[in-house]
Amino acid sequence: MTLAENLFENLRLELRRGCLTLAVLAQLRQERYGYTLRKALADDGLVIDESTLYPLLRRLETQGLLASQWREEEKRNKRFYRLTPEGEQIFAQLLQEWHSINASIQQTINTTVNPTL
Amino acid sequence: MDLLDRYLQSVRKHLPFERQDDIVAELRANLEAQLEEKESALGRPLTQPEAEAWIKQLGSPIHMAAHYQPQQYLIGPALFPIYRHVLKLALFWAVVAYVIGTVVRFIAGAQPDGAALLDAILHVPLVVLYVAAWCTLAFAAIEYAVTRGCIKLPQLEPLSTLWAPGVLPSIEQQNPARKPRSFAHAVAEVVVGFFLLDWLLLIPHHPWLLMGPGAVILDASPYQLAPVWWQFYWCIVALNIVQLGWNLENLLRGSWRQPHPVKHIVFKFMGLVPLAFVLAVRDHALLVLKHPALDQASRGATLDVINLYVYRSFIVIAAIASIQLIWDFAQLSRNAFRNRAMPNA
């Protein structure tokens, strides 16, 4: 990997990190277990490694944003996650922030590309 | 699936002990669901190469387990800026205290010699290492205690509220070395350097030019300067000739505005040479008796005391000159680094 590619990869991961949390919180408004969550995210175009997603769920649970429960489904014990009330509140705030940042960046890009606008 | 079991077993070994079962059970459920889906899509079990490729894309067991570990710091990002600031202060004052202590020990203590001086200089890196180690250890202990809730340092959290813009230091004076010198300044340096050299060359014939009435007293006393002072004297003359030459060259080549800083450092370094001649004198015999055969018994002890104190004074001068040289060199290196980082600054 060249220096420029390495730099891009680091910046890309940095950019993705916060977005992944937001996407996971968004998906877990509905109860899911790890694998179905990963599939749902991938279906929406957001592929996440197992080694990133499953530990992230644990961290969000430790922070009180998710609650989990072991339950049997299709003859197999699975750990289901969903947002806690605190998680819902934080998710709403983060979503608002994300919309705001997105709009600002879009505005900046438009102004830079066509300054007369 | 044997391969998946072996993978999970390896992951378990790198997980936090108290959560191993829970994490492995969850991983197993997720990975088995994934495997089932893959096999159902293929309509057959995975072959060995396919299973290996699938397990490989999960990442190594260490890599997988590492993501479950809490982030660990020796000194965390909240405490690190304070640690760095305290470390800088501690190192600076430790070196200053060590230098002062060493000089005082040399002045008040037993006979200092070149070996003791070298030993003292070689101890400086050890002092720096000890102070850095203790400082790091202390902050690591604070970090450990804070992260585990053993102590609470509320003043560290709202660090940004501890300062006020009003207490910021005033704008620092521009480094005089970077200010361009005027033509008059450069001419004055050459003229003064020329007269200084004349004055130096006259001293052997007219010692009063240097010592004033002391020249008469020395002449009448039973003591005289040791031959080493001639070496010292000619070194000083040579240094002044070199400096006059440099200043004249700056003037003639039109580079007087910004003299090269390396020349300044080199000149200071050369200034240590005459001091080295004096410090290297055997038995510190900087003054000698005019008539040793006659006066050794009555004045030898007094002479030894005078020589010892003159010698110690020169040690202090050499120490100060060395510290100045190190300081100037550090400043030069810092400016060079800064200029390289910001060539247009």
Side-chain angles (χ1 to χ4, degrees), chain B residues 71-153:
Chain B
Q71 283 192 316
Q72 289 173 316
Y73 304 105
L74 189 62
I75 298 168
L79 205 55
F80 191 79
I82 304 167
Y83 161 71
R84 198 168 56 177
H85 184 65
V86 170
L87 183 65
K88 274 185 189 174
L89 287 177
L91 289 178
F92 176 76
W93 286 112
V95 171
V96 167
Y98 177 75
V99 169
I100 292 171
T102 306
V103 170
V104 168
R105 191 158 51 86
F106 277 174
I107 292 171
Q111 297 263 335
D113 53 21
L117 188 66
L118 185 68
D119 191 47
I121 291 169
L122 290 178
H123 262 82
V124 173
L126 271 181
V127 171
V128 168
L129 199 65
Y130 279 135
V131 171
W134 279 110
C135 201
T136 305
L137 204 62
F139 271 85
I142 294 171
E143 177 72 31
Y144 183 87
V146 170
T147 50
R148 277 155 187 78
C150 304
I151 57 166
K152 195 165 185 175
L153 298 173

Side-chain angles (χ1 to χ4, degrees), chain B residues 39-226:
Chain B
E39 290 181 337
S40 141
L42 288 169
R44 58 169 172 80
L46 292 186
T47 61
Q48 186 68 14
E50 284 170 344
E52 282 183 14
W54 173 58
I55 293 288
K56 190 172 170 60
Q57 61 87 34
L58 295 175
S60 71
I62 294 179
H63 180 252
M64 173 65 89
H67 285 85
Y68 284 96
Q69 298 281 2
Q71 283 192 316
Q72 289 173 316
Y73 304 105
L74 189 62
I75 298 168
L79 205 55
F80 191 79
I82 304 167
Y83 161 71
R84 198 168 56 177
H85 184 65
V86 170
L87 183 65
K88 274 185 189 174
L89 287 177
L91 289 178
F92 176 76
W93 286 112
V95 171
V96 167
Y98 177 75
V99 169
I100 292 171
T102 306
V103 170
V104 168
R105 191 158 51 86
F106 277 174
I107 292 171
Q111 297 263 335
D113 53 21
L117 188 66
L118 185 68
D119 191 47
I121 291 169
L122 290 178
H123 262 82
V124 173
L126 271 181
V127 171
V128 168
L129 199 65
Y130 279 135
V131 171
W134 279 110
C135 201
T136 305
L137 204 62
F139 271 85
I142 294 171
E143 177 72 31
Y144 183 87
V146 170
T147 50
R148 277 155 187 78
C150 304
I151 57 166
K152 195 165 185 175
L153 298 173
Q155 68 272 26
L156 292 181
E157 288 166 17
L159 192 63
S160 56
T161 62
L162 285 178
W163 72 283
V167 300
L168 288 172
S170 53
I171 300 291
E172 289 175 8
Q173 291 289 318
Q174 193 188 359
N175 184 0
R178 289 178 65 90
K179 279 186 180 172
R181 293 188 308 168
S182 66
F183 179 71
H185 187 165
V187 171
E189 270 186 350
V190 171
V191 172
V192 170
F194 181 75
F195 282 113
L196 184 67
L197 189 60
D198 286 345
W199 174 76
L200 275 173
L201 292 172
L202 286 172
I203 285 172
H205 304 288
H206 307 284
W208 57 269
L209 284 171
L210 178 66
M211 294 188 271
V216 180
I217 296 168
L218 185 65
D219 194 43
S221 76
Y223 310 113
Q224 64 179 3
L225 295 172

